[in-house]
Amino acid sequence: MNEQGRTIRFTLNGRAATANIAVYETVIEVLQREFNLFGGRESCGQGLCGCCTVLVNGTAVSGCLYLAAFVDGAEVVTVEGLADRGMLHPIQEAFVAKTGFQCGYCTPGFILMTEQLLKRHPHPTDDQIRHFLSGNLCRCGAYPDIIEAVKEAASKLEAEGPNH
Amino acid sequence: MTMPTRFKEPAGTIVEAPPKVKRKALARREVGRSIPRLESHAKVTGTAEYIYHLRLPGMLYGKICRSTVPHGRIVRIDTSAALALEGVQAVITAEDIRTVIFDPYYGPAFHDQPILAIDKVRFVGEPVAVVLAKDVHVAEEAADLVVVEYEPLDPVFDEVAAAKPGAPVIHDILRPAGMFPDLQHLKGKAGSNVALEARVLRGNVEKGFTEAAEIFENVFRSGKVIHATFEPMVSLAELNGSNGLTIHTSSQSPSFVRAEICRLLGWPENRVRVRTAFLGGGFGAKLYIKLEALVAACTLLVRKPVRIGLTMEEQFYTITKHGATVRIKTGVAKDGRIVAREVETWWNGGAYADIGPRVTQKSGFTAAGPYDIENVSLINYAVYTNDPPAGALRGFGISQLVWAYECQNDIIARSLGIDPLEFRRRNVLRDGRPHATGTIMTNAEIDDVLDQLAARMDWDRPFDHGSGTVRRGRGLAIGFKAAISPTTSVAIVNIYGDGSICLSISTVDMGQGSDTAMAQIAAETLGISAETVRVIHPDTDVTPYDMATLGSRSTYHMGNAVRLAAEDASAQLLRIAATALQANKEELEFRDGEIVSLTGIRMTIGDVMRARFGMQAGNVIGMGTFTPPYSKVDLRTGQSTQITPFWMLAGAAAEIEVDTETGRIRVTKLVNVGDVGCAINPGIAKRQLIGAGIMQLGFSLFEEMKFNEGQVINASFADYKIPGMLDIPADLSAGLVEVPHEHGPYGAKGVGETGMFSVSPAISNALYDAVGVRMMEMPITSERVLRAIRESKNRPLEKD
């Protein structure tokens, strides 16, 4: 470790991971360069659109602002970590069923925020959905379908029990 | 000796008659079904391919050094400090570009835009130099170290001022591009900022005004807004063999990119390969050429792959929607019939024309609205200013015009004491009647749009206008657009040895769901299931020509090409099957993915292929080409017997609440109705209307680029807000008017832009209904509304 670079060790989608990073690099840059994971993606570059959402220790963060150095020792989950051996997560299934996307660029961010939302509010009201997801933007305007997808995901998760 | 005569296309001829829809007795299985989108799994798992994420081995990152003045001569460019930074591989200026591209000016209408600024800059943010480095951070830092000295010139930003004689001239000379048939008449120009003046004249507008009972004249303005695609613009170039180039680009027009790059290089088209993937939004931003010529030149200079990807901020300096000033004068008879309408529109095209001239003339000719008016005069000016270039944005200028004519129609209706809906019913342009261009209106269901709008709004029921500080209002508007013409789409249906099917098309799926819709059309024609069709994304080495994915043209044009290609493939399969079964072709039909004979013998498509090739081998290739008829426009009068392959009709209505103490508008209900022919996938079609409505809601209420001496001062999502979840009306719906278009593929026509047209005037008319103030400028921000309310009460707010 020196002032330009260091090595970080963390858990990425359930597996041990190591990366050599520059101190100024963000989580998104490192996930893309070192792990070929592009589900977290930069768009507005200011943490305002939600496309870069990743979970760090179970909390959604803006990966385009979150320095990679800070995930040393942490548990990181990206949208690629949601599907279980090719089986879609119920939230992902719900986004497919309700077409909660158009161009798809913002979709991973919405899916991860939905995961956070449903942990806190397993039966969210429309207002709760709108407020919780207000930090995620969608330029295509798929919002009504996203709201339907969230509701569908809530009922799927309830039907499947506490394993998720 | 005689010179060989070159083949020349006769001007204005009908290229190919469109096929009529065959009305089959059999129920449709694939078309008309809201099937889930083919790419669903890839999009929800984050694995869908976007060019922004492409990394090529050994590639260099390019970062652009941009102009800091809106208009000025370049005195000196000093690249030494940038070059000295460790890790910088090259700093490229226009001088370098000229060693690989002799005449480095590009553009779809005029060859006016230099790949990097030459001698002069014309807007703040114009690319002046590019730094290349292996590390993007190094390139970014070095781009700030390039020193450029300018001698400032007087700028001009307002489109009306820029069009006047004596305004600073932004381009000394103009050279027409000559690529597109609808822009063949553009002329070389000098000494003026008006790139094009387009006219439509019908009847005698002066006489019409003298006969009118009342005349209304207003000026409406629209500010500049931006696409803000979430996948920012990005292009990569790499060498391909010893004499070729491959360009990977987030583009809506790969075929145009190939042609334009080859023109710049003086190469035949077969030496350049252009490919795209899914686009993280397009909306018109990623059309024609944006970064492609720049990365191509950089790669040819350094002989390495080069990637230039913009940031969100940089997109604000690249392409915008046109700001516009519309002067509209209308004469009406006592019974509320519009007898004359004169519209003069100044389109703020920014520093480079891009596709502004097409916006100007193509939208310009609809400026009188979807109304049956005897006397019409429409004048449209494409004007250069020192703003960033303006181009296409989901509607090619239509919403700026609908804003003007639908707000004015509301003024007229209220002034005459006629219900706004009834006023429109009295004036709409119905099937069989000539439009101002002379083209007869056909396959346009304007009455159905109005009926559905009225029903969804309960228009005949009394409406509660609220009380106290929160007032309620409702308003409606209708609009229309002509599809671009003439253009060509080509499709290939490729049947593999095992019977599986690929569809090769250059239509770009940028979120609108074209992959799914095209697969449905192919599947319907071949009697198979759409989910089994694989759609090959645009790659000009593999997929055939398509004009571009723009202007809601794909469903109609490419849809027809796909249907023809599938019919071609199915005819070949039936011939092979007939031989194998020793049956007549007419006795066979496609059913449930198989070919079935009258006697009940079934063959899978794989069986047919094995019958033909003796094993799992070979290809059956179906081709389809579609170019709708077009009749050239008379430049003096704007008249044409066939100006468009189809018309897109739209209506929107809104219910709003206004806080009279803050000026804040809350849209509580928004209805968007579109005449779509027959929807190939009704779910996708409705989502297009809903999504466009939300986008236009942002343009109506708060989105506006702010400038200070040509510098965009809100080039970020912190300061330029786009609609989020909390901005969406609780009651938001879309309605499809489905009457088959006689030449559309299975009756379909385009829908991508339809939902944009009418939203802004519907909201503004609702505002008038609520509080009696009339907004003349978009967006209708809370501040503007509050100022207007206070002025109406003779208690004006202080100016800034």
Side-chain angles (χ1 to χ4, degrees):
Chain A
M1 182 180 112
N2 58 40
E3 71 180 36
Q4 276 305 305
R6 59 183 292 190
T7 302
I8 56 169
R9 289 178 183 80
F10 59 110
T11 309
L12 176 57
N13 294 331
R15 307 180 87 152
T18 308
N20 295 317
I21 61 155
V23 291
Y24 49 79
E25 279 186 303
T26 67
V27 171
I28 291 299
E29 286 179 286
V30 171
L31 289 174
Q32 295 191 346
R33 191 194 63 228
E34 293 291 313
F35 301 97
N36 219 26
L37 294 176
F38 291 92
R41 44 194 67 151
E42 184 168 323
S43 179
C44 78
Q46 295 180 304
L48 297 166
C49 69
C51 289
C52 60
T53 305
V54 293
L55 306 182
V56 176
N57 293 332
T59 301
V61 302
S62 293
C64 76
L65 298 181
Y66 205 88
L67 291 177
F70 293 161
V71 304
D72 197 5
E75 202 168 299
V76 176
V77 174
T78 70
V79 73
E80 290 93 340
L82 278 194
D84 184 13
R85 286 177 292 272
M87 291 286 287
L88 292 182
H89 186 279
I91 297 173
Q92 292 170 312
E93 285 177 349
F95 270 71
V96 172
K98 298 293 175 185
T99 319
F101 60 86
Q102 286 188 25
C103 84
Y105 210 73
C106 67
T107 312
F110 271 102
I111 287 174
L112 289 175
M113 275 312 278
T114 301
E115 195 264 358
Q116 296 270 286
L117 162 67
L118 296 180
K119 257 190 193 148
R120 206 170 301 178
H121 307 289
H123 309 287
T125 62
D126 266 38
D127 267 1
Q128 282 171 327
I129 295 172
R130 284 171 187 246
H131 278 92
F132 207 95
L133 298 182
S134 63
N136 290 70
L137 299 174
C138 167
R139 190 50 155 168
C140 302
Y143 298 121
D145 305 304
I146 293 169
I147 293 171
E148 288 308 306
V150 173
K151 292 178 183 168
E152 169 89 0
S155 22
K156 272 178 182 285
L157 284 170
E158 187 179 42
E160 292 191 9
N163 284 339
H164 275 287
Chain B
M1 194 179 87
T2 52
M3 291 292 289
T5 314
R6 282 190 58 192
F7 170 76
K8 202 161 176 273
E9 240 181 277
T13 49
I14 288 176
V15 184
E16 186 183 310
K20 285 265 183 184
V21 176
K22 286 178 204 149
R23 284 168 209 278
K24 280 191 185 171
L26 265 177
R28 284 177 188 152
R29 280 171 253 235
E30 298 302 313
V31 157
R33 233 176 15 114
S34 294
I35 63 164
R37 292 167 58 144
L38 301 186
E39 78 283 14
S40 297
H41 190 277
K43 283 186 173 168
V44 302
T45 52
T47 53
E49 186 196 2
Y50 303 95
I51 299 296
Y52 207 74
H53 299 149
L54 180 64
R55 307 285 184 261
L56 297 171
M59 77 177 188
L60 302 178
Y61 288 87
K63 278 286 168 187
I64 297 171
C65 162
R66 297 174 179 278
S67 163
T68 51
V69 298
H71 198 194
R73 297 208 176 282
I74 299 170
V75 178
R76 181 176 70 96
I77 304 176
D78 181 353
T79 59
S80 55
L83 269 171
L85 190 73
E86 196 185 329
V88 170
Q89 303 242 341
V91 182
I92 289 166
T93 65
E95 209 178 312
D96 306 304
I97 301 274
R98 278 190 147 154
T99 65
V100 288
I101 298 174
F102 174 71
D103 184 14
Y105 290 88
Y106 64 88
F110 292 99
H111 294 154
D112 60 353
Q113 190 158 3
I115 295 174
L116 290 172
I118 296 172
D119 302 332
K120 207 177 150 173
V121 290
R122 297 178 177 88
F123 69 98
V124 176
E126 176 162 6
V128 176
V130 172
V131 176
L132 301 179
K134 271 196 175 151
D135 183 327
V136 68
H137 298 282
V138 171
E140 199 170 0
E141 191 182 339
D144 286 341
L145 297 175
V146 177
V147 178
V148 188
E149 197 185 308
Y150 303 97
E151 176 198 323
L153 297 168
D154 283 341
V156 60
F157 304 113
D158 178 81
E159 60 272 12
V160 179
K164 286 187 176 146
V169 174
I170 295 162
H171 290 268
D172 297 332
I173 53 155
L174 277 181
R175 295 179 295 164
M179 169 83 84
F180 292 111
D182 64 329
L183 298 173
Q184 287 296 339
H185 57 281
L186 293 179
K187 290 190 179 67
K189 273 199 155 185
S192 166
N193 293 323
V194 178
L196 169 70
E197 190 178 313
R199 284 170 189 273
V200 174
L201 300 171
R202 183 160 194 83
N204 183 335
V205 79
E206 286 311 322
K207 190 163 155 278
F209 285 134
T210 59
E211 287 165 8
E214 261 194 87
I215 290 175
F216 298 81
E217 186 166 359
N218 305 96
V219 177
F220 293 92
R221 265 201 52 81
S222 300
K224 286 206 166 186
V225 297
I226 186 172
H227 317 69
T229 58
F230 275 21
E231 179 204 20
M233 290 172 210
V234 60
S235 298
L236 298 87
E238 61 179 326
L239 300 174
N240 181 3
S242 58
N243 70 350
L245 204 54
T246 298
I247 296 171
H248 311 262
T249 180
S250 182
S251 170
Q252 298 173 231
S253 50
S255 299
F256 179 84
V257 168
R258 178 178 62 178
E260 187 71 340
I261 295 291
C262 290
R263 182 190 65 78
L264 286 164
L265 292 170
W267 291 6
E269 287 200 61
N270 61 8
R271 279 169 61 186
V272 171
R273 172 186 175 204
V274 180
R275 59 171 293 271
T276 70
F278 286 115
L279 264 54
F283 316 117
K286 299 171 176 176
L287 278 170
Y288 311 110
I289 285 211
K290 291 298 179 285
L291 299 164
E292 293 87 351
L294 183 54
V295 290
C298 288
T299 285
L300 289 173
L301 282 165
V302 299
R303 315 297 294 173
K304 285 179 185 166
V306 171
R307 172 192 190 269
I308 298 180
L310 299 188
T311 60
M312 185 60 78
E313 181 191 352
E314 286 179 292
Q315 295 200 93
F316 284 78
Y317 310 126
T318 304
I319 196 78
T320 75
K321 185 169 173 167
H322 283 73
T325 300
V326 185
R327 184 184 65 79
I328 177 165
K329 183 177 170 186
T330 302
V332 285
K334 274 207 185 78
D335 61 0
R337 269 184 320 106
I338 304 174
V339 292
R341 181 164 267 177
E342 179 181 270
V343 190
E344 201 176 5
T345 308
W346 292 262
W347 297 94
N348 190 328
Y352 296 103
D354 196 84
I355 202 60
R358 179 177 287 147
V359 170
T360 300
Q361 74 184 33
K362 233 197 65 56
S363 290
F365 71 65
T366 70
Y371 298 105
D372 200 336
I373 311 173
E374 203 103 319
N375 306 292
V376 178
S377 164
L378 313 172
I379 309 176
N380 285 270
Y381 309 99
V383 187
Y384 284 108
T385 66
N386 291 110
D387 281 347
L393 198 166
R394 203 171 193 179
F396 272 93
I398 291 294
S399 60
Q400 294 94 316
L401 297 168
V402 184
W403 166 244
Y405 63 70
E406 284 302 89
C407 285
Q408 194 192 48
N409 283 347
D410 204 64
I411 293 173
I412 298 171
R414 285 172 182 280
S415 164
L416 299 179
I418 304 172
D419 175 80
L421 179 69
E422 172 57 26
F423 177 77
R424 283 158 180 94
R425 284 199 201 281
R426 284 186 201 175
N427 283 290
V428 287
L429 186 61
R430 296 192 164 84
D431 249 43
R433 294 286 301 156
H435 169 253
T437 55
T439 298
I440 304 295
M441 201 52 136
T442 58
N443 292 281
E445 311 302 329
I446 188 76
D447 282 312
D448 291 8
V449 170
L450 284 171
D451 289 348
Q452 206 181 121
L453 216 49
R456 284 173 179 267
M457 291 299 284
D458 279 328
W459 194 260
D460 297 330
R461 296 249 300 267
F463 185 78
D464 171 16
H465 283 85
S467 59
T469 57
V470 177
R471 298 301 173 99
R472 303 179 71 247
R474 61 176 183 170
L476 60 81
I478 57 174
F480 78 139
K481 180 177 188 276
I484 183 169
S485 190
T487 65
T488 294
S489 291
V490 185
I492 292 172
V493 166
N494 189 345
I495 297 169
Y496 294 172
D498 65 349
S500 64
I501 292 168
C502 271
L503 181 56
S504 277
I505 50 173
S506 291
T507 294
V508 180
D509 199 326
M510 49 195 185
Q512 82 281 34
S514 54
D515 281 7
T516 309
M518 296 304 159
Q520 286 181 264
I521 291 171
E524 178 74 42
T525 313
L526 284 163
I528 57 171
S529 146
E531 288 87 341
T532 65
V533 177
R534 170 138 183 269
V535 181
I536 312 271
H537 283 161
D539 175 342
T540 57
D541 268 10
V542 179
T543 57
Y545 176 89
D546 179 46
M547 184 267 183
T549 303
L550 59 76
S552 309
R553 65 176 288 283
S554 300
T555 300
Y556 188 88
H557 293 76
M558 187 58 84
N560 266 318
V562 167
R563 190 173 62 77
L564 291 168
E567 280 174 359
D568 183 16
S570 89
Q572 294 180 52
L573 290 172
L574 287 173
R575 264 201 306 275
I576 298 166
T579 308
L581 296 171
Q582 294 177 319
N584 278 328
K585 211 161 56 126
E586 292 69 31
E587 294 166 2
L588 304 176
E589 65 168 14
F590 279 93
R591 201 187 301 157
D592 301 329
E594 294 179 322
I595 290 173
V596 186
S597 76
L598 278 182
T599 53
I601 303 173
R602 310 175 81 90
M603 281 181 96
T604 65
I605 298 178
D607 292 338
V608 177
M609 296 300 284
R610 278 181 287 275
R612 165 70 180 78
F613 296 100
M615 59 180 287
Q616 181 176 322
N619 298 80
V620 164
I621 293 177
M623 264 293 278
T625 300
F626 182 74
T627 312
Y630 168 71
S631 151
K632 213 175 160 185
V633 176
D634 179 320
L635 293 180
R636 206 174 40 81
T637 60
Q639 298 297 299
S640 160
T641 54
Q642 182 122 38
I643 206 156
T644 180
F646 63 92
W647 299 94
M648 299 154 70
L649 275 299
E655 288 180 9
I656 68 165
E657 284 177 7
V658 195
D659 184 329
T660 55
E661 290 182 315
T662 63
R664 180 158 183 204
I665 291 176
R666 205 161 68 87
V667 179
T668 51
K669 176 171 181 171
L670 183 64
V671 172
N672 226 324
V673 177
D675 164 23
V676 300
C678 280
I680 301 296
N681 183 315
I684 291 180
K686 279 191 180 174
R687 286 184 188 98
Q688 283 298 297
L689 290 175
I690 294 264
I694 290 171
M695 193 174 205
Q696 190 67 31
L697 185 82
F699 294 165
S700 306
L701 295 179
F702 42 79
E703 289 188 45
E704 185 176 30
M705 292 172 71
K706 301 266 189 193
F707 294 89
N708 183 355
E709 284 302 301
Q711 166 77 50
V712 187
I713 56 170
N714 59 344
S716 102
F717 278 5
D719 302 309
Y720 181 101
K721 292 292 183 190
I722 67 167
M725 282 257 179
L726 297 174
D727 299 304
I728 305 312
D731 187 348
L732 178 63
S733 69
L736 304 178
V737 167
E738 291 196 85
V739 177
H741 187 290
E742 60 182 322
H743 304 305
Y746 299 105
K749 50 186 187 181
V751 64
E753 303 160 310
T754 308
M756 305 290 286
F757 302 164
S758 321
V759 171
S760 304
I763 293 172
S764 191
N765 294 341
L767 176 70
Y768 187 89
D769 187 49
V771 290
V773 300
R774 181 63 63 184
M775 308 305 292
M776 309 307 284
E777 184 164 9
M778 275 222 300
I780 44 179
T781 60
S782 300
E783 181 181 337
R784 285 190 180 133
V785 171
L786 184 60
R787 284 186 185 283
I789 291 174
R790 293 288 292 268
E791 266 164 41
S792 75
K793 293 178 173 165
N794 277 325
R795 289 192 297 127
L797 290 174
E798 281 175 34
K799 297 282 170 208
D800 311 313

